[in-house]
Amino acid sequence: MCGIVGYTGMKNAAQVLLEGLSNLEYRGYDSAGISVFENNALYTVKAKGRLADLGKKLESHVLTSGCGIGHTRWATHGEPSDTNAHPHITTKLSLVHNGIIENYNQVKEFLQGKGYVFESQTDTETAAKLIDYCYQGDPEAAIREATKILEGAYAFCILFADHPGTIYCLRKDSPLIVALGEGENFVASDMPAILRFTRNYYLLEEGEIACVTPEKVTVTGPDGSPIEKKVQVASWNVEQAQKGGFDHFMIKEIYEQPTAIHSTMHPRLGHDGLPDFSASDIPGDLFQNVTKLNIIACGTAMHAGMLGKALMEKLARLPVEVDMASEFRYRDPILTQGQMALVISQSGETADSLAALRLCKQAGVPVIAIVNVAGSSIAREADYCIYTYAGPEIAVASTKAYSVQINLMYMLAVSCALQRGTMTEEAARAYLAELYATIDRVRQTLDLADTIKEYAQGLKEVSDLFFIGRGIDYALALEGSLKLKEVSYIHSEAYAAGELKHGPIALISNNVPVIAMATQRDLLPKMISNIKEVKARGGHVLLITGEDYEVDLSCCDQIMRLPIGDDAFGPMLGVIVLQMLAYFASIARGCDVDKPRNLAKSVTVE
Ligand code: AGP
């Protein structure tokens, strides 16, 4: 997520901004910039790369101003570059933004019609120019006018050239605080930026606009009426603040999933309720004549690809093969004309996945990538790229990235089915409406945390554990097993439930824990048979299934019921349970859950 800092007071604004932004570096970013009032004029310096790069650029400028705004950018729309970095400026103002403007294309066309010329590829520049267009001398009126038009989630921090020393900021679905000093005041997207200076702050609410000067802060509501804000006092230290009050990044990111899924899905949902990947420059007929899709990835991303295979084959009747990239690149794959490759990667820098991408391209097979980090190698080298908007994933164990990857699998499968005539528009609309509604079911599943924690604490002394599932629940079981292994160091295996009797069931003996994933209604009877096989050999079974699924409770030792609607989306709920299970088991065993031993967040070596 981007970082915002604003300052107005007697200190050197550039120094306060750089320090504040450095406390937000943990959020991940790829460029940065500041604007300050210098001799009563707006002065802006931006740089691709790290804050150190911005600092180097600033060394050649003598900045003494006491008022400015700064930003670290996590690229969503537009590659990391000086031009795309914030602040975005016009002759009247300078603006930084956190969030996503969902209708920026339409607004941009409108402004181009009014003679505005755009330099960057960002949605933010559109917001800056729209406020410029609305500005008639009253900053708050201009901001209010513009936000009636802008759709999406955004926090703005703005300097108006003819209002030196004053910062205007607005919050809509993206957090923003105004922190209160003595003869100075601050604005930030997140507490860590300013905790060294003050612990007193206002939390802006939806649609509120703050006007911040060194002496005072006034807040008005969406209708312009003044609002009396209550001063809050931050009790966190910087590290706690970086985790948003959560104990670890992994659990914070597990709870961020509803927002991450919405941010990823909404911009691809056309006004007609059908998938629309045009903003990612994906041709509307890309899959029409594809003969086979090769999905290639590693780890969690590969598990998302396995779900993608099931969906593509079921909905679009497109043959799909899934490979772990480290195997694909050395098995001399048969790559022929008419095939397509899909490379999935959170970091966009995984060496095996990048090598597999290059192998496909060398063979003349076009590559579409699903990536979470803008401007990463896989994003740049793919022929097509669809970004996930999960925001930076700090914990080594991938959670929200998986959820947004499978969300795009659902949407791509529907798009593919429409292109190949295997799904009607009416069915596609209904399917995506249910997918969208599943976001709320994900929220409800997060409320099972206490139950999941209790079960996980029972795993503290466990040495071996099995996950079983059928169909898309098998892909889910694989992901659950990986999560548990990598953060709790408990040895676990995932098996297709029907495969147990072909050997693995020899490992089941008294009280060996088995977690059975049964989100698919049509496979439930078969799963119950497999569970009984396990129980008969002394296994201890936790069954994870739907709230209204008919189950003879004597078949398992424990049951966890999920608010599943259409079971096609069962994995989106099931994975929440498995992520939390792994997290709480890791905590119970005293492991370093955010930085597990032997692991790196991005495996950029073979
Ligand atoms: C996931 O929890 C693991 N950290 C790991 O398997 C990861 O998914 C894999 O290394 C692929 O990374 P990528 O998505 O960045 O390519």
Side-chain angles (χ1 to χ4, degrees):
M1 233 60 97
C2 306
I4 291 177
V5 183
Y7 174 75
T8 182
M10 66 302 253
K11 295 183 178 72
N12 180 299
Q15 287 169 8
V16 173
L17 298 175
L18 283 177
E19 179 177 342
L21 292 174
S22 68
N23 285 323
L24 298 179
E25 285 196 288
Y26 72 94
R27 298 159 70 102
Y29 68 101
D30 44 54
S31 57
I34 67 168
S35 283
V36 295
F37 280 104
E38 205 59 38
N39 306 320
N40 280 339
L42 281 178
Y43 198 82
T44 300
V45 181
K46 310 196 278 190
K48 176 182 175 182
R50 315 305 295 164
L51 282 174
D53 302 310
L54 177 62
K56 280 200 188 71
K57 271 195 171 181
L58 287 168
E59 281 168 6
S60 54
H61 304 265
V62 178
L63 301 178
T64 58
S65 162
C67 179
I69 56 177
H71 187 266
T72 46
R73 179 175 182 248
W74 168 270
T76 50
H77 299 79
E79 302 298 273
S81 68
D82 290 9
T83 309
N84 288 336
H86 303 198
H88 284 277
I89 59 176
T90 72
T91 55
K92 301 174 189 171
L93 58 89
S94 173
L95 173 142
V96 295
H97 161 225
N98 195 1
I100 292 178
I101 308 288
E102 288 162 359
N103 63 336
Y104 81 98
N105 272 323
Q106 297 93 309
V107 178
K108 184 173 181 177
E109 280 169 26
F110 165 75
L111 292 168
Q112 285 169 324
K114 297 293 181 185
Y116 281 88
V117 176
F118 286 78
E119 290 86 32
S120 80
Q121 305 160 292
T122 67
D123 56 343
T124 304
E125 185 183 9
T126 301
K129 288 183 160 68
L130 181 63
I131 295 171
D132 179 287
Y133 173 74
C134 296
Y135 187 54
Q136 307 291 327
D138 177 345
E140 294 189 31
I143 294 168
R144 219 164 268 120
E145 196 56 36
T147 49
K148 285 178 191 153
I149 297 165
L150 296 173
E151 293 171 9
Y154 43 85
F156 294 139
C157 207
I158 310 169
L159 302 178
F160 287 84
D162 54 2
H163 287 71
T166 303
I167 301 172
Y168 292 87
C169 48
L170 161 100
R171 179 238 168 101
K172 180 183 177 292
D173 290 336
S174 189
L176 202 62
I177 60 165
V178 178
L180 311 167
E182 298 292 327
E184 59 183 9
N185 289 307
F186 307 77
V187 181
S189 50
D190 208 351
M191 278 309 285
I194 48 83
L195 263 182
R196 184 172 84 77
F197 302 106
T198 178
R199 289 183 173 276
N200 301 323
Y201 67 99
Y202 295 145
L203 180 66
L204 287 189
E205 302 296 345
E206 287 305 290
E208 290 184 347
I209 295 176
C211 170
V212 184
T213 67
E215 299 75 29
K216 70 175 179 165
V217 175
T218 54
V219 178
T220 53
D223 61 359
S225 56
I227 290 180
E228 210 46 47
K229 296 294 286 183
K230 178 174 173 297
V231 177
Q232 305 196 38
V233 181
S235 55
W236 295 331
N237 61 36
V238 173
E239 193 195 344
Q240 285 167 326
Q242 289 175 342
K243 293 166 188 162
F246 287 96
D247 291 338
H248 302 96
F249 283 112
M250 183 176 175
I251 192 66
K252 177 185 177 200
E253 288 156 7
I254 287 172
Y255 275 91
E256 285 177 343
Q257 291 182 108
T259 304
I261 296 168
H262 179 271
S263 299
T264 298
M265 180 173 188
H266 194 275
R268 283 80 185 231
L269 202 51
H271 287 296
D272 58 5
L274 298 176
D276 176 4
F277 290 98
S278 56
S280 302
D281 298 327
I282 307 294
D285 60 355
L286 186 64
F287 289 98
Q288 200 157 39
N289 302 313
V290 170
T291 57
K292 175 189 171 187
L293 179 66
N294 300 285
I295 298 181
I296 310 151
C298 299
T300 288
M302 187 194 69
H303 297 151
M306 290 179 69
L307 180 62
K309 168 185 166 71
L311 298 169
M312 284 282 186
E313 292 188 342
K314 182 180 177 70
L315 299 182
R317 308 310 296 159
L318 171 64
V320 178
E321 189 168 4
V322 179
D323 275 274
M324 50 183 78
S326 55
E327 287 297 303
F328 179 82
R329 56 185 298 205
Y330 296 113
R331 67 173 179 79
D332 193 12
I334 301 167
L335 296 169
T336 54
Q337 191 172 7
Q339 292 187 19
M340 168 81 73
L342 170 62
V343 174
I344 306 171
S345 176
Q346 188 285 131
S347 63
E349 297 298 347
T350 300
D352 285 322
S353 304
L354 182 56
L357 176 152
R358 289 170 177 164
L359 183 63
C360 291
K361 291 191 70 173
Q362 280 159 10
V365 170
V367 179
I368 183 170
I370 290 180
V371 177
N372 195 48
V373 179
S376 54
S377 305
I378 290 173
R380 277 184 288 107
E381 295 193 26
D383 297 289
Y384 308 97
C385 182
I386 302 175
Y387 283 122
T388 52
Y389 297 138
E393 191 174 64
I394 312 294
V396 165
S398 191
T399 52
K400 61 179 181 173
Y402 173 84
S403 288
V404 295
Q405 286 163 359
I406 63 171
N407 179 265
L408 285 183
M409 290 291 97
Y410 283 107
M411 297 193 79
L412 264 182
V414 171
S415 177
C416 193
L418 288 167
Q419 294 173 42
R420 301 167 68 87
T422 56
M423 195 175 206
T424 64
E425 287 196 359
E426 185 188 0
R429 252 183 225 103
Y431 191 89
L432 292 184
E434 185 65 30
L435 174 61
Y436 195 78
T438 304
I439 297 173
D440 207 39
R441 295 178 188 276
V442 170
R443 279 195 191 90
Q444 294 168 38
T445 306
L446 290 166
D447 295 340
L448 293 174
D450 291 343
T451 307
I452 299 166
K453 180 176 181 178
E454 192 181 336
Y455 178 86
Q457 286 172 333
L459 300 179
K460 189 174 177 184
E461 307 304 330
V462 160
S463 55
D464 297 286
L465 182 147
F466 294 90
F467 292 83
I468 61 173
R470 284 175 174 262
I472 56 179
D473 282 339
Y474 171 48
L476 192 55
L478 285 166
E479 176 55 16
S481 176
L482 174 62
K483 284 281 101 41
L484 187 69
K485 277 191 276 255
E486 64 177 330
V487 297
S488 75
Y489 316 148
I490 294 173
H491 170 249
S492 78
E493 298 294 336
Y495 283 105
E499 186 62 13
L500 278 178
K501 53 189 172 295
H502 298 286
I505 203 161
L507 295 172
I508 304 297
S509 61
N510 274 353
N511 288 325
V512 169
V514 175
I515 296 175
M517 306 305 300
T519 72
Q520 303 304 293
R521 285 185 172 86
D522 61 340
L523 295 171
L524 184 60
K526 293 285 184 200
M527 278 301 294
I528 298 299
S529 309
N530 298 138
I531 290 167
K532 286 177 177 171
E533 289 164 14
V534 169
K535 283 287 292 167
R537 281 128 183 115
H540 182 282
V541 178
L542 165 64
L543 171 59
I544 298 176
T545 190
E547 275 168 352
D548 60 352
Y549 291 26
E550 280 190 30
V551 174
D552 168 4
L553 295 180
S554 66
C555 80
C556 56
D557 297 280
Q558 288 174 272
I559 188 167
M560 235 177 258
R561 289 187 178 275
L562 308 180
I564 297 173
D566 182 334
D567 63 3
F569 310 110
M572 290 179 69
L573 309 188
V575 77
I576 302 294
V577 178
L578 301 179
Q579 292 166 349
M580 284 190 163
L581 259 180
Y583 171 76
F584 288 122
S586 175
I587 300 304
R589 290 164 63 96
C591 301
D592 183 351
V593 69
D594 283 337
K595 298 187 184 73
R597 67 186 182 200
N598 311 339
L599 297 181
K601 182 57 186 169
S602 177
V603 184
T604 56
V605 294
E606 277 208 47

